[in-house]
Amino acid sequence: MSSSDQSPLGEEKLGLLAEHVSDTDSDGDIFDGKSRSWNQLRISRLLAAPWIYLRSAAWRALLIRLGLFLIPSFLQGRHAREQIRPAKLSPTAYLDGMRGLAALFVFFCHYFYQAFIIAESWGAGENNFHFLKLPFVRIWYQGPPAVCLFFVISGYALSYRPLKFVRSRSSHDFANTISSLVFRRGIRLYLPTAISTFLIVCLLRVGAYEWTREFANDKMYMKNIVEPHPARMEFASEQYLDWAKHMFRFVHVFDWNKFGGSTSYDVHLWTIPVEFRCSLYLFLVLVGTARLRTRFRFLVVGGIMGFVYSHSRWELLLFLCGMVLAEMDLIRGAHKSSSELPVHDSTPVSRRRWARAFWGMLSIIGLYLMCQPDVKGNITPGWIWLHEQIPKWWKEEPYRYYQSLGAVIFAYAVGHSASWQRFFNNGIVQYFGKISYALYLMHGPAIHCIGYHWEYLAYRITGVEGYWYNTGFVLGAIFVIPTVIWCADIFWRAVDIPTVKFAKWVESKCIIKA
C-alpha cells in the first residue's frame, strides 16, 4: 500500500487524538493520554469495588444471615424452638422458669415505677385502692421480691451438683466441680455485664441517649421516679476510661456497703456484685462442710445462717437457704429419673390430695409474704401486725424481711408441687428462663434508648391529662415490652450463650488434664 493511501487514515487518527499539535509533541501527548486513561480506569474500579462487593453472593448471604439472626428465636425454625424448650427437660428446669419470670417482673418494676407509685400496697393512705395494688396481683410488677427469688435459686443451683457429689462420697468429682464453679463464676457474671455496659458507652458516644434525654428528665412524663441517663462526656477517650474504672470498681467483694460497686452506666446492675460476693461465701461454706456428716452439716450451716441473720445479711441468708433446699431435695430424691422411681406409688389417694393442698397453701403463704409493700407497711391493711414483728435490730429495709422469707417458702413449696412445676416448665415460661440474664442486662438500655421513643409517640397521641396519661402508658407498653424482649433475645444469642461457652473453653485450656 502506497503512502498516498495511508495519509487520509493517519490524518483522521491524528485529528481524533489531538488538534493543533506539532509533530514533535504528538507522541508524548499520546502516551500521557493513555496514562491518564489507565489511571481513571483504576480509580473507577476502586470506586466500584464496594458496590461490586455488595452485589456479590457472599455479601448477600451475610446480610441474609444477619437478617435471620435478628428474628426472635421463638419465631425461627423448629431447631431454635427446641433449643428454648427441649423435648426432655432437666428435673430442675422449673427453677429456670421461675428465674425467667422473676427477671420479667424486675423489668416490669423498672418500667412501671417511672409512671406510677408501685411501692405502696392496697389500703395504705387515701389513694391506694386500685385493684392492681392488691396482694398477689401486685407481685407481677414488684422487683424486690423477684431479686430475693433470684438469690434463693442461685444458692440452690450452685449447691446442687457439689452436694450431690458430697452425698455420694465422690471427693474427686466434688473437688473438680467446686473448682470449676469458682473459676468460671466471675467470667459468667462479669463478662456479659462488661459487654452490656460497653454497648451503653458506645450508644452514648453515637448520641443514642441524647435523643431521649430530655424526655427521660421531664416530670410531665416521668411522674414518679426519674431514672437519669448516664452522663455523656466531652471526649470519647475520657468516656471509655471512665467505663474501665467503673468496671474495675464493679468487682466489689471487700465490703457490704449498700449498692457497693454499682455503676451509673446501668443502675439496675447493683445485684451483680452482690451475687458474686454471696457466691464466694457459699463456695466457702460448701468446701468447709463437705466432709461432715449430714446432720452435722445441717447443724453447722444452720449456725452460720443464724449468724448471718443476726447481722441482717438477707442476701447471703437467701443463698444459704437455697443450699439447704438443694440438700433436702437430694435427701428425698426429688429429682431422680423415672427409671429410678418405684413403678407403683403406694401412697393413698387421699393423702396425696392432702399433700397437694398443703403445698398449694404453703406456696400461697409464700406469695403473700413476697407481696410485702416496700413502704408504709405499718399502715397497710394485712401488714400492720406483721410489720410490728420485724426485730428492732434489723438494719436493712423492713421490706427485705418478709419478702426474703416469702421467697424461701415459695421456692420450698414449688419443689414439692407438681402443679407449680408444670406451670414453670411451660414453653413460654421456659423461654423467659433462657433469656433471664440477658433480659436483666438489656432492659435498662433498651428502655432508655428505644422504649422512651415509643412512650413519647404514645403520649403525643393521647396527651398526659388525667386518665389519658394511663392510656398513653398502656399504648407505649404495647411496643416497649416486645422491643425489650427482642433486644434481650438478640443479646442472649449473641453474647450470653457464647460467654458461657467461652468460660468453659478458657477453663479447659487452663486446667491440668487428668
Side-chain angles (χ1 to χ4, degrees):
M1 184 179 293
S2 64
S3 60
S4 60
D5 294 331
Q6 294 177 355
S7 59
L9 183 59
E11 291 175 1
E12 184 180 357
K13 286 184 177 180
L14 182 60
L16 288 173
L17 288 173
E19 292 188 44
H20 312 298
V21 291
S22 65
D23 295 335
T24 57
D25 295 339
S26 59
D27 291 340
D29 286 343
I30 291 171
F31 180 78
D32 291 342
K34 288 182 179 180
S35 298
R36 285 194 297 270
S37 299
W38 176 246
N39 289 334
Q40 290 172 358
L41 181 61
R42 290 180 63 186
I43 293 172
S44 64
R45 285 180 177 176
L46 287 173
L47 294 175
W51 175 245
I52 294 171
Y53 182 65
L54 285 173
R55 295 180 60 186
S56 67
W59 181 259
R60 286 202 303 271
L62 183 62
L63 285 177
I64 291 171
R65 290 181 63 184
L66 177 61
L68 292 174
F69 185 81
L70 294 178
I71 298 174
S73 57
F74 54 83
L75 295 179
Q76 296 186 17
R78 179 180 176 182
H79 175 73
R81 289 194 296 271
E82 288 180 351
Q83 186 181 13
I84 296 171
R85 189 186 186 280
K88 185 178 180 181
L89 294 173
S90 68
T92 57
Y94 69 91
L95 293 172
D96 293 331
M98 199 185 305
R99 179 166 45 203
L101 286 189
L104 183 66
F105 295 167
V106 168
F107 156 45
F108 286 163
C109 171
H110 293 153
Y111 179 48
F112 294 161
Y113 73 4
Q114 64 180 357
F116 307 106
I117 299 173
I118 64 173
E120 300 174 7
S121 188
W122 189 92
E126 301 178 354
N127 301 317
N128 291 307
F129 292 96
H130 197 284
F131 82 96
L132 289 176
K133 295 200 170 186
L134 287 168
F136 305 109
V137 178
R138 65 192 306 269
I139 191 71
W140 62 276
Y141 60 79
Q142 272 194 285
V147 171
C148 294
L149 204 55
F150 277 148
F151 292 162
V152 176
I153 295 171
S154 291
Y156 188 110
L158 293 173
S159 304
Y160 183 79
R161 188 171 173 82
L163 285 172
K164 187 176 181 180
F165 291 127
V166 165
R167 298 193 60 79
S168 64
R169 303 293 187 266
S170 302
S171 301
H172 179 72
D173 291 332
F174 170 79
N176 286 342
T177 299
I178 203 72
S179 173
S180 176
L181 287 171
V182 173
F183 182 84
R184 290 186 290 115
R185 192 59 176 163
I187 302 175
R188 176 71 186 100
L189 289 175
Y190 284 112
L191 185 55
T193 52
I195 294 172
S196 70
T197 51
F198 185 79
L199 175 63
I200 291 172
V201 173
C202 294
L203 291 171
L204 273 171
R205 298 316 305 173
V206 300
Y209 275 83
E210 304 309 309
W211 303 335
T212 57
R213 191 176 294 275
E214 184 178 350
F215 176 85
N217 293 307
D218 195 335
K219 290 293 288 184
M220 182 172 67
Y221 303 111
M222 307 295 161
K223 293 185 178 293
N224 184 37
I225 291 180
V226 176
E227 195 175 272
H229 282 358
R232 187 179 190 272
M233 299 180 178
E234 184 178 0
F235 301 106
S237 58
E238 184 182 8
Q239 189 91 64
Y240 289 115
L241 180 60
D242 182 68
W243 168 80
K245 291 178 180 178
H246 273 255
M247 290 299 98
F248 179 78
R249 293 193 296 267
F250 195 47
V251 185
H252 188 84
V253 295
F254 299 114
D255 62 58
W256 292 90
N257 292 337
K258 196 180 296 294
F259 306 118
S262 58
T263 171
S264 59
Y265 285 105
D266 191 345
V267 295
H268 307 141
L269 303 186
W270 66 270
T271 61
I272 305 303
V274 176
E275 181 97 15
F276 185 59
R277 196 160 53 237
C278 291
S279 299
L280 296 181
Y281 274 91
L282 179 68
F283 297 147
L284 182 62
V285 173
L286 284 168
V287 172
T289 60
R291 297 173 63 245
L292 301 182
R293 297 177 184 176
T294 301
R295 60 178 177 272
F296 291 120
R297 181 164 48 252
F298 275 120
L299 185 63
V300 171
V301 173
I304 295 173
M305 291 170 66
F307 178 78
V308 169
Y309 169 70
S310 67
H311 284 78
S312 306
R313 290 269 58 87
W314 59 276
E315 57 279 82
L316 182 54
L317 180 63
L318 291 174
F319 267 75
L320 294 172
C321 286
M323 173 186 171
V324 171
L325 293 181
E327 182 148 21
M328 291 171 67
D329 282 351
L330 284 167
I331 291 173
R332 68 186 181 90
H335 305 312
K336 288 184 178 179
S337 62
S338 57
S339 60
E340 299 176 275
L341 297 175
V343 178
H344 300 289
D345 188 355
S346 59
T347 308
V349 175
S350 59
R351 186 176 177 182
R352 291 202 298 269
R353 288 175 179 172
W354 278 109
R356 285 198 297 268
F358 172 77
W359 295 116
M361 287 300 300
L362 190 63
S363 67
I364 291 174
I365 293 173
L367 285 173
Y368 181 79
L369 294 176
M370 289 171 68
C371 291
Q372 180 186 8
D374 299 344
V375 295
K376 297 185 179 180
N378 58 326
I379 61 171
T380 302
W383 284 101
I384 298 174
W385 182 82
L386 287 171
H387 190 273
E388 292 173 352
Q389 308 312 307
I390 299 175
K392 301 299 181 183
W393 48 261
W394 184 256
K395 301 174 186 177
E396 293 297 313
E397 301 92 338
Y399 66 84
R400 299 292 187 191
Y401 195 83
Y402 288 113
Q403 289 180 3
S404 298
L405 178 60
V408 174
I409 293 175
F410 181 70
Y412 179 52
V414 170
H416 289 76
S417 173
S419 299
W420 273 114
Q421 290 181 25
R422 280 195 298 271
F423 170 73
F424 287 117
N425 285 335
N426 174 273
I428 296 175
V429 180
Q430 282 292 303
Y431 169 71
F432 284 110
K434 295 292 185 182
I435 69 167
S436 58
Y437 197 34
L439 182 60
Y440 191 76
L441 297 184
M442 289 306 296
H443 75 272
I447 291 174
H448 280 252
C449 290
I450 307 174
Y452 285 168
H453 279 292
W454 291 122
E455 287 191 59
Y456 178 68
L457 293 174
Y459 287 133
R460 287 194 64 181
I461 295 172
T462 64
V464 294
E465 300 299 327
Y467 277 96
W468 284 112
Y469 178 82
N470 298 355
T471 305
F473 183 85
V474 172
L475 179 60
I478 293 173
F479 297 94
V480 174
I481 293 173
T483 299
V484 171
I485 294 173
W486 177 49
C487 292
D489 187 284
I490 294 173
F491 191 86
W492 168 55
R493 288 176 287 127
V495 176
D496 197 27
I497 294 176
T499 53
V500 173
K501 296 178 180 178
F502 175 74
K504 293 180 179 179
W505 177 82
V506 171
E507 182 188 23
S508 69
K509 296 298 180 182
C510 296
I511 62 174
I512 301 172
K513 303 296 183 180

